[in-house]
Amino acid sequence: MSERKYIVAIDQGTTSSRAIVFDREGTPLRSHQMEHEQIFPKPGWVEHNPMEIWSRVQDVVREVIGGSGVKPAEIGAIGITNQRETTVVWDRNTGKPVCNAIVWQCMRTQDFCAEWEKKPGWGKKVNDLTGLVVSPYFSGTKIRWILDNVPGARDRASSGELLFGTMDTWLLWNLTGGPEGGVHVTDVTNASRTLLMNIETLQWDEEMLEFLDIPRAMLPSIRPSSSVYGRTIPKGPFGAEIPVAGILGDQQAALFGQACYNQGEAKNTYGTGCFMLLNIGETPVRSKNGLLTTVAYGLEEGRATYALEGSIAITGAAVQWLRDNLRLFDDAPDSEWFAGKVEDSGGIYFVPAFSGLYAPYWDMSARGAILGLTRYIAKEHIIRATLESICYQTRDVQEAMDADSGIPLTALKVDGGAVRNNLLMQLQADILGVPVVRPVVSETTALGAAYAAGLAAGIWKNLDELRTHWKIDREFTASLPAEKREEMYAGWKKAIEKSRGWLG
């Protein structure tokens, strides 16, 4: 057992970066978070500045270490979890990105994907090889766009000058030395979100690389989710050599942090989007109902546990839109108070298809809509309808999971920042008709990264030990009559159809 007492998790998300110090019981001791700029250069395009994100990560790490009183010598391991498909390409010699990061929500490769889907047999081939679907959501088409549109990028990538990574790889490379010997590695969960990894072999797929015209030389090595990848450099934010020993994409990290280690266990994370994952064991079963097959986690070379995933693009981001664009309230938590001022949403439905519809519809031509408006409607109804839209989209995914797995959901573990909204959680239980279970530690994304790192570093022995740390904070049970639940959901399905195909 390691003599070091603490694990630091870096949680690099879509809108912010945070660092959390955990003890051996999985209890968070100190956390610090900083937002970064959301860049929208054109309608449907979303970018981040990778240098700003690296700067924010350094700042939050220094703050939690300094503020917690934890000495670097007491930190046994570092875990990284990250927004997944967001794509960074940078110069290996200078460490400078060739352009802004293209965020997972970005739609700039929509036309390319539409043409790709028309090619006979490719939709099935992509699903067979990668477990995914043809969509601008994933990293592969974003890399191709950069190589095609940044002057000189393709030649530089082919000659080995440029590196690609999702945010985990970008942070690991910088933490371990950057141009002076940084480690260029990703884990199986992030690699499974690129359209480039073969879901069976857990290696880069030559057929996908050839089709997308992406040089193998720019790709990181693929490793398990729990492994010592390298050590931080003393002049970095940790001020010492500490093993970076866990990497998981954010949604897989939440599954891992929720202790969903048995086949049939599911969780839903409420963040910028919503992501429901169901552990399906060691066989990558393909969905017939619009879900993705993804790697849940890998603890040893060449083996993985898989999950079915329902990805919803816009949930918490819709609440941010009400706050920032419409200015209906000052802080996101205020949405609970305003929505609680009315008994229902007044018959309106809000479909937040700002980036199209993801699972289970995969309609990138859909756009956002508020339907059923009358003069009776006040801002409180719109706010409540926004919270309800999160719950309806989760039910869409849950029904697809039930159909694929044949195992009806009996309870849903929940996590993420929005689960502190008690009204939202009650609405979710009412619309699903099953209990919604909130754990004591709601930020299970960071916890999952800490668990993966601690396992590799010997701080914890095995998954059974991790299970003992998971504890219930509150369980929300459905109180809505079944007839009313189905009536409301039928209205949602009608609203979804109205929003689809908007771009023709």
Side-chain angles (χ1 to χ4, degrees), residues 86-98:
T86 296
T87 297
V88 189
V89 174
W90 69 95
D91 188 306
R92 72 160 69 235
N93 297 311
T94 67
K96 302 297 184 187
V98 300

Side-chain angles (χ1 to χ4, degrees), residues 220-239:
S221 301
I222 302 174
R223 299 278 301 281
S225 311
S226 181
S227 178
V228 176
Y229 312 106
R231 292 177 177 272
T232 57
I233 56 173
K235 67 180 181 181
F238 285 92

Side-chain angles (χ1 to χ4, degrees), residues 159-180:
S159 67
E161 290 179 52
L162 300 186
L163 301 178
F164 152 74
T166 40
M167 279 295 169
D168 59 303
T169 304
W170 168 243
L171 295 179
L172 176 66
W173 188 81
N174 280 292
L175 286 167
T176 55
E180 300 169 9

Side-chain angles (χ1 to χ4, degrees), residues 110 142 369:
Q110 181 176 345
K142 301 177 194 298

Side-chain angles (χ1 to χ4, degrees), residues 27-330:
T27 303
L29 303 181
R30 188 173 181 88
S31 173
H32 187 58
Q33 178 174 343
M34 296 179 73
E35 292 191 357
H36 54 263
E37 183 184 5
Q38 306 296 307
I39 303 166
F40 306 104
K42 294 183 182 181
W45 290 31
V46 190
E47 297 179 355
H48 292 156
N49 180 341
M51 298 304 293
E52 181 192 14
I53 287 175
W54 170 229
S55 176
R56 294 286 186 270
V57 166
Q58 294 178 81
D59 289 344
V60 296
V61 165
R62 289 190 179 103
E63 199 285 336
V64 294
I65 292 176
S68 64
V70 170
K71 299 181 178 68
E74 296 178 303
I75 300 171
I78 299 160
I80 298 174
T81 182
N82 56 290
Q83 51 167 320
R84 296 175 298 178
E85 300 79 9
T86 296
T87 297
V88 189
V89 174
W90 69 95
D91 188 306
R92 72 160 69 235
N93 297 311
T94 67
K96 302 297 184 187
V98 300
C99 61
N100 278 335
I102 302 179
V103 178
W104 59 273
Q105 299 162 316
C106 187
M107 300 294 292
R108 74 185 64 190
T109 64
Q110 181 176 345
D111 291 344
F112 172 81
C113 290
E115 291 303 312
W116 187 7
E117 273 198 296
K118 292 176 186 175
K119 294 180 183 291
W122 264 101
K124 183 177 186 306
K125 180 179 286 191
V126 167
N127 189 249
D128 287 344
L129 291 175
T130 70
L132 307 177
V133 297
V134 175
S135 171
Y137 177 22
F138 306 108
S139 308
T141 63
K142 301 177 194 298
I143 302 170
R144 179 180 172 126
W145 187 94
I146 291 171
L147 297 181
D148 287 344
N149 289 276
V150 174
R154 184 168 294 284
D155 289 341
R156 294 170 66 197
S158 297
S159 67
E161 290 179 52
L162 300 186
L163 301 178
F164 152 74
T166 40
M167 279 295 169
D168 59 303
T169 304
W170 168 243
L171 295 179
L172 176 66
W173 188 81
N174 280 292
L175 286 167
T176 55
E180 300 169 9
V183 176
H184 189 220
V185 162
T186 191
D187 90 300
V188 285
T189 67
N190 281 291
S192 75
R193 311 298 296 187
T194 60
L195 279 175
L196 304 177
M197 190 192 84
N198 187 296
I199 197 73
E200 304 274 356
T201 67
L202 308 178
Q203 297 298 322
W204 301 121
D205 187 89
E206 292 300 330
E207 192 168 3
M208 294 301 295
L209 291 176
E210 183 178 352
F211 178 81
L212 289 169
D213 198 14
I214 293 172
R216 174 68 182 81
M218 69 187 302
L219 301 182
S221 301
I222 302 174
R223 299 278 301 281
S225 311
S226 181
S227 178
V228 176
Y229 312 106
R231 292 177 177 272
T232 57
I233 56 173
K235 67 180 181 181
F238 285 92
E241 290 190 3
I242 301 169
V244 183
I247 295 176
L248 289 153
D250 53 8
Q251 304 314 319
Q252 289 94 333
L255 186 80
F256 204 70
Q258 286 272 35
C260 294
Y261 308 136
N262 292 328
Q263 189 172 344
E265 293 183 317
K267 70 87 200 177
N268 197 28
T269 298
Y270 297 75
T272 303
C274 261
F275 300 86
M276 185 186 268
L277 270 70
L278 172 73
N279 184 326
I280 57 171
E282 295 192 2
T283 303
V285 177
R286 306 307 192 275
S287 172
K288 296 180 173 62
N289 294 280
L291 303 177
L292 305 173
T293 305
T294 196
V295 175
Y297 54 87
L299 300 183
E300 56 186 272
E301 206 75 50
R303 294 184 63 185
T305 296
Y306 294 92
L308 285 175
E309 174 174 330
S311 311
I312 304 166
I314 302 293
T315 54
V319 176
Q320 290 176 325
W321 179 74
L322 297 183
R323 179 194 68 187
D324 299 339
N325 294 48
L326 301 190
R327 303 194 181 280
L328 297 189
F329 42 78
D330 294 328

